[in-house]
Amino acid sequence: MHPATAKWYDRRDTVFVDFCVEDSKDVQVRFDPAKVTFSCVSGADKIKHQNTVELFGEIDPKESKHKRTDRSVLCCLRKAEAGKAWPRLTKDKTKNNWLSVDFINWKDWEDDSDEDLSSFDKFSEMMNSMGGDDLPDLDGPEEEHDSADSDDEKMPDLE
């Protein structure tokens, strides 16, 4: 059996682990307070995958869930102690070659005073609240487009 490639990221109340296996079948995920066990068969070659993850912190097995898609199996691990950051997924500090951080979804929520809105969401909300009807026409009147601008003039030769 081969370990499945996985990515993980941390949130205030949950930790997400995404096992990257395409066309997975016979998916089995077992949640224990200090451990997650994952296994499946994937692809046309029917490769067997199995991962056992000794977790950095404890989780609530009853509130933890998983969802299978065609490309991966996403596990949502509910932290037993919400609000505590996990600096790594595993209990041991050893590097697992099948495990990496999902930097696309990573968020430093500890430092955020408003954890519900990302910077982009705050910006979008600000732009939407400004309205769009009274924005100035930055191109100017249309009849001026045919006239020459001052930066269209020929530059003098360098000496």
Side-chain angles (χ1 to χ4, degrees):
M1 287 202 205
H2 303 285
T5 302
K7 293 182 177 185
W8 78 283
Y9 59 99
D10 186 28
R11 288 291 192 264
R12 186 171 302 280
D13 300 330
T14 53
V15 172
F16 292 91
V17 183
D18 197 12
F19 292 98
C20 307
V21 286
E22 292 186 16
D23 301 325
S24 59
K25 293 179 179 45
D26 301 329
V27 175
Q28 295 180 352
V29 181
R30 181 174 171 191
F31 301 110
D32 293 318
K35 177 172 71 171
V36 173
T37 306
F38 168 80
S39 65
C40 74
V41 177
S42 72
D45 297 335
K46 302 208 182 296
I47 299 170
K48 293 181 180 179
H49 297 282
Q50 183 171 357
N51 299 63
T52 301
V53 184
E54 298 288 334
L55 299 170
F56 174 80
E58 290 202 356
I59 62 169
D60 182 352
K62 292 178 183 173
E63 293 294 316
S64 298
K65 300 175 178 16
H66 75 279
K67 180 180 180 183
R68 183 202 163 278
T69 65
D70 289 339
R71 301 191 59 99
S72 67
V73 177
L74 179 64
C75 297
C76 176
L77 312 177
R78 178 71 65 176
K79 292 180 182 178
E81 189 176 338
K84 182 179 178 189
W86 288 19
R88 61 186 179 277
L89 179 64
T90 59
K91 183 177 183 178
D92 297 329
K93 289 186 179 183
T94 57
K95 171 75 174 137
N96 294 303
N97 60 356
W98 54 268
L99 181 63
S100 63
V101 174
D102 187 349
F103 288 107
I104 293 172
N105 291 307
W106 189 269
K107 180 181 171 186
D108 280 335
W109 54 263
E110 293 178 291
D111 302 331
D112 283 349
S113 57
D114 188 319
E115 74 260 9
D116 293 335
L117 295 176
S118 68
S119 298
F120 180 78
D121 292 334
K122 291 177 191 173
F123 177 75
S124 296
E125 186 176 88
M126 178 187 70
M127 292 302 287
N128 289 337
S129 67
M130 289 174 60
D133 295 339
D134 56 346
L135 293 176
D137 183 13
L138 299 177
D139 293 331
E142 286 191 30
E143 62 269 2
E144 290 181 16
H145 286 280
D146 296 331
S147 65
D149 271 348
S150 62
D151 37 331
D152 290 340
E153 296 173 8
K154 187 175 189 275
M155 297 286 293
D157 294 330
L158 296 175
E159 295 180 21

